[in-house]
Amino acid sequence: MDRHQLIALLAGGGSAYAMCRDALHDGADFTIANGAMPANHFARIYDRRKRHCQERGIATLGFRQGIERLQNARDHAVRLGWVKITNPDYHFQLFLTEDLSAVIACIGVDQAHQVRRDDGPN
């Protein structure tokens, strides 16, 4: 898949799609993984990741809609892709049809969030 094909597949879909599309247009790196898994497999995993982000106050884009779209796709084979940008520092997780003809979901996660842990008294 080339950059222009992916940009075209990200038309519409909401703010995560738009931000990812703009990043690709500006030259962001992207990867499409080989192999596929059932959409409902990813729906379960990313539902847990959504809760993790909410508990830690990590900003996200399109998570709820993305999980709904994966649940609706049920057992259809899905390939993963990702786009990483640094300004702002976001990671976009893409879920594509196995034949790469459509984007099922696009989820953005803020990477600038720093998890702080209590190391005890100084």
Side-chain angles (χ1 to χ4, degrees):
M1 167 172 280
D2 73 28
R3 177 178 306 278
H4 299 291
Q5 290 171 310
L6 185 53
I7 290 170
L9 293 177
L10 287 163
S15 58
Y17 285 69
M19 193 171 171
C20 185
R21 186 178 59 244
D22 291 347
L24 286 165
H25 187 270
D26 291 342
D29 290 332
F30 70 96
T31 301
I32 307 296
N34 291 323
M37 297 282 293
N40 53 16
H41 170 79
F42 291 119
R44 287 188 300 274
I45 291 169
Y46 281 84
D47 187 49
R48 287 190 299 268
R49 289 182 182 182
K50 176 180 66 82
R51 288 193 306 269
H52 170 85
C53 289
Q54 288 172 330
E55 290 168 0
R56 286 159 181 76
I58 300 170
T60 63
L61 294 170
F63 232 121
R64 182 180 50 80
Q65 299 89 345
I67 292 168
E68 288 173 4
R69 289 176 179 161
L70 289 167
Q71 289 168 336
N72 290 338
R74 296 193 172 106
D75 62 351
H76 291 285
V78 173
R79 289 178 63 178
L80 288 178
W82 49 93
V83 176
K84 176 79 171 102
I85 62 174
T86 57
N87 191 18
D89 195 4
Y90 257 80
H91 171 88
F92 290 93
Q93 192 69 56
L94 304 174
F95 304 88
L96 301 107
T97 57
E98 187 173 23
D99 66 359
L100 302 177
S101 65
V103 173
I104 297 168
C106 175
I107 296 171
V109 179
D110 183 356
Q111 301 295 292
H113 179 81
Q114 296 290 325
V115 176
R116 295 183 185 95
R117 63 184 184 123
D118 185 5
D119 290 329
N122 292 330

